Amino acid sequence: HYSGLEEAVYRNIQACKELAQTTRTAYGPNGMNKMVINHLEKLFVTNDAATILRELEVQHPAAKMLVMASHMQEQEVGDGTNFVLVFAGVLLELAEDLLRMGLSVSEASYSHYRYEKACKKALEILPDLVCCSAKNLRDVEEVASLLHTSVMSKQYGNEQFLAKLIAQACVSILPDSGHFNVDNIRVCKIVGAGISASSVLHGMVFKKETEGDVTSVKDAKIAVYSCPFDGMITETKGTVLIKNAEELMNFSKGEENLMDLQVKAIADSGANVVVTGGKVADMALHYANKYNLMLVRLNSKWDLRRLCKTVGATALPRLTPPTLEEMGHCNSVYLSEVGDTQVVVFKHEKEDGAISTILIRGSTDNLMDDIERAVDDGVNTFKVLTRDKRLVPGGGATEIELAKQITSYGETCPGLDQYAIKKFAEAFEAIPRALAENSGVKANEVISKLYAMHQEGKKNVGFDIEAEAAAVKDMLEAGVLDTYLGKFWGIKLATNAAVTVLRVDQIIMAKPAGGPKPPSGKKDWDEDQND
């Protein structure tokens, strides 16, 4: 049982500060990578806050609240998890300053109300900071330029190339309704070559080999089965007495003929590719080769479902010949070799396929995992843009403008309110500060230059990461843009998390249940009561 200022409040704030400090050095394009080894001994080398938090075991209940907030950001926007952590951590750090300044716990715990008041004001100001909107989400060049910022924070140096790949994949499957599904962009990682050998395919790619002799089919008609490609096995067991060799020869003939008829019926229906979700029997394989059927085996039922979606097929539970409606169709199915890995490609020539695959090449698995995370962020950013096309300047420009305006607002508030509101404004400085520190530049110099520019009314000026010294430039011209929704949810969730932590004044830890047991017959008594 912990209570009071020293034991509960400061402890909670300390735990959250430490967590935020861990991911703060990984913020931005020049952020450092973390090497995380999870409980299964798997190694991760990444600067993606969402992955770091997912693999860390956070024990402290207050720090868990920050983790939950960043998970919410991941689900809502898919990017900006580090922003939530850094911002919430700084809000708590500054609240601690207020407590040490001498505000009593009740006044400081009242500051959570002021934080919410300041957050509400920040979200009112935010729409005024929108500097442009996405005009045409079907233009690959424009989409690529909008995805730069989110890809840059994970893969600095390769952002041009990757943003273009992601844009091609997303634009090709954007439906007319505008409802974009992130799951429709698949990633296939194959070791070898370099990042620049990565490509986009319309359709699906599986790291599998074909089962039979046929390795390529044009104008494929596809039958998909969720059962094994094998003869039916009877439910009952029986004993057969065989007296001579002739009977033994005839015994397996019936099974062979049945299999022959089944495979022939599938071939006669017009299908020339069979995809199965189970094992392939040798006998069935022989007949598939005889009737020139291409056989592909997929172990994952999710892959089977996605393939059905891609080619427009229905997965059949038994080896019955498919009807025309149940068969899928795509331009070509072929076995290809990428590096030294065999892959089966289901390819659509037309660009309006339901699923697109980004084929990632790289020298190590860790590197490809990191590229996959960059692709994931890029795809999520595209999804956010289909919901709201507004964009705000990046590079700390939005944060400094919010800090400036909320400080002015704080000065108009009477009483103790202004302390908490000014601290809230000060917290925004942590974002450009983190960018500057991670780039090895004096943060105070950057922030004073940014304030000077913003006082002149230049709202879009942010920190220039690529310059040697503490330089600033117009973010709209530089093309460094963040999504409006990403910022909106980031500020909201970080404030909510910080406020929740500040409202705690006692921590009570329950002991494992080991108390007296209820008297015998208690259960029956309870049941009687319920009746």
Side-chain angles (χ1 to χ4, degrees), residues 235-530:
E235 292 290 320
T236 53
K237 284 198 171 83
T239 311
V240 179
L241 189 63
I242 290 171
K243 290 180 179 152
N244 54 29
E246 196 181 337
E247 284 183 4
L248 182 61
M249 297 286 282
N250 292 338
F251 175 65
S252 59
K253 272 242 166 59
E255 194 181 0
E256 284 176 27
N257 291 343
L258 186 65
M259 195 74 238
D260 190 358
L261 286 170
Q262 277 183 329
V263 178
K264 186 174 187 304
I266 293 170
D268 289 346
S269 69
N272 49 14
V273 178
V274 173
V275 179
T276 172
K279 65 181 196 305
V280 177
D282 294 342
M283 181 76 69
L285 185 58
H286 164 73
Y287 286 116
N289 288 338
K290 178 180 167 186
Y291 292 111
N292 245 0
L293 290 176
M294 181 175 181
L295 255 178
V296 181
R297 177 182 165 197
L298 298 177
N299 296 341
S300 156
K301 65 177 181 183
W302 304 109
D303 279 348
L304 212 63
R305 283 181 193 174
R306 285 190 193 105
L307 180 67
C308 286
K309 193 172 170 184
T310 312
V311 298
T314 308
L316 301 171
R318 291 178 54 197
L319 281 187
T320 50
T323 61
L324 276 171
E325 289 78 38
E326 289 165 339
M327 259 192 290
H329 180 268
C330 73
N331 295 75
S332 58
V333 180
Y334 57 91
L335 181 69
S336 177
E337 198 170 325
V338 180
D340 61 350
T341 311
Q342 300 282 341
V343 293
V344 177
V345 182
F346 289 80
K347 191 172 183 182
H348 283 281
E349 296 298 333
K350 298 197 299 298
E351 291 222 336
D352 55 356
I355 286 188
S356 219
T357 301
I358 296 177
L359 199 64
I360 291 178
R361 306 299 310 280
S363 48
T364 65
D365 286 333
N366 273 333
L367 178 69
M368 291 192 299
D369 287 345
D370 219 26
I371 298 168
E372 184 184 8
R373 286 188 272 273
V375 169
D376 195 41
D377 277 359
V379 172
N380 277 307
T381 302
F382 183 80
K383 161 99 177 151
V384 169
L385 287 172
T386 60
R387 283 163 49 197
D388 188 332
K389 293 183 175 181
R390 289 178 290 177
L391 294 147
V392 293
T398 308
E399 285 79 6
I400 289 289
E401 187 60 30
L402 282 169
K404 181 187 129 213
Q405 295 201 27
I406 291 170
T407 306
S408 313
Y409 166 67
E411 280 165 3
T412 63
C413 297
L416 289 170
D417 279 17
Q418 60 177 293
Y419 285 106
I421 290 172
K422 280 183 178 173
K423 287 288 184 196
F424 187 88
E426 195 185 317
F428 278 114
E429 291 176 14
I431 301 299
R433 189 179 289 277
L435 287 173
E437 283 168 2
N438 293 347
S439 304
V441 175
K442 287 178 184 160
N444 289 344
E445 212 174 304
V446 170
I447 286 172
S448 59
K449 278 187 181 176
L450 285 174
Y451 269 126
M453 284 296 198
H454 282 253
Q455 288 298 345
E456 292 171 21
K458 296 177 182 169
K459 283 185 184 177
N460 298 338
V461 172
F463 169 52
D464 181 5
I465 280 175
E466 287 160 353
E468 291 293 314
V472 295
K473 67 176 175 186
D474 191 304
M475 290 289 127
L476 180 55
E477 288 168 17
V480 179
L481 302 166
D482 285 330
T483 55
Y484 169 78
L485 279 184
K487 278 278 183 282
F488 177 88
W489 282 106
I491 294 168
K492 196 169 185 173
L493 292 167
T495 310
N496 286 351
V499 162
T500 312
V501 174
L502 283 176
R503 286 169 84 159
V504 173
D505 72 332
Q506 282 193 340
I507 306 170
I508 302 163
M509 298 174 84
K511 282 229 163 50
K517 297 281 181 286
S520 57
K522 168 101 167 51
K523 187 165 176 275
D524 306 336
W525 184 80
D526 277 348
E527 281 170 3
D528 292 345
Q529 293 295 94
N530 292 339

Side-chain angles (χ1 to χ4, degrees), residues 40-182:
L40 300 172
E41 303 278 309
K42 187 171 187 309
L43 174 75
F44 294 85
V45 180
T46 179
N47 62 359
D48 178 33
T51 309
I52 296 168
L53 289 182
R54 199 168 42 242
E55 301 308 329
L56 285 181
E57 281 189 48
V58 178
Q59 295 275 323
H60 198 285
K64 270 186 185 166
M65 288 179 189
L66 292 204
V67 176
M68 284 177 200
S70 76
H71 278 328
M72 274 304 302
Q73 174 80 353
E74 177 72 4
Q75 286 167 7
E76 194 67 47
V77 184
D79 195 8
T81 43
N82 212 340
F83 173 83
V84 173
L85 280 171
V86 173
F87 189 53
V90 175
L91 282 176
L92 289 168
E93 202 173 317
L94 295 172
E96 185 181 7
D97 291 352
L98 287 176
L99 291 172
R100 294 199 189 279
M101 244 167 62
L103 263 75
S104 67
V105 182
S106 57
E107 285 166 343
S109 66
Y110 189 63
S111 78
H112 65 70
Y113 158 71
R114 296 175 188 128
Y115 267 179
E116 280 174 352
K117 191 172 169 184
C119 174
K120 194 174 167 195
K121 183 68 180 169
L123 298 180
E124 280 172 23
I125 298 169
L126 199 58
D128 300 337
L129 305 186
V130 171
C131 59
C132 67
S133 290
K135 294 176 187 67
N136 177 14
L137 288 180
R138 295 191 185 279
D139 175 7
V140 175
E141 292 297 328
E142 186 188 344
V143 171
S145 68
L146 301 179
L147 301 182
H148 270 179
T149 316
S150 67
V151 177
M152 204 187 225
S153 62
K154 304 281 175 292
Q155 283 291 320
Y156 188 37
N158 300 319
E159 71 276 357
Q160 301 268 352
F161 175 71
L162 284 174
K164 191 149 190 187
L165 278 189
I166 300 164
Q168 285 170 352
C170 293
V171 170
S172 68
I173 63 160
L174 178 63
D176 295 330
S177 62
H179 294 301
F180 177 78
N181 185 0
V182 178

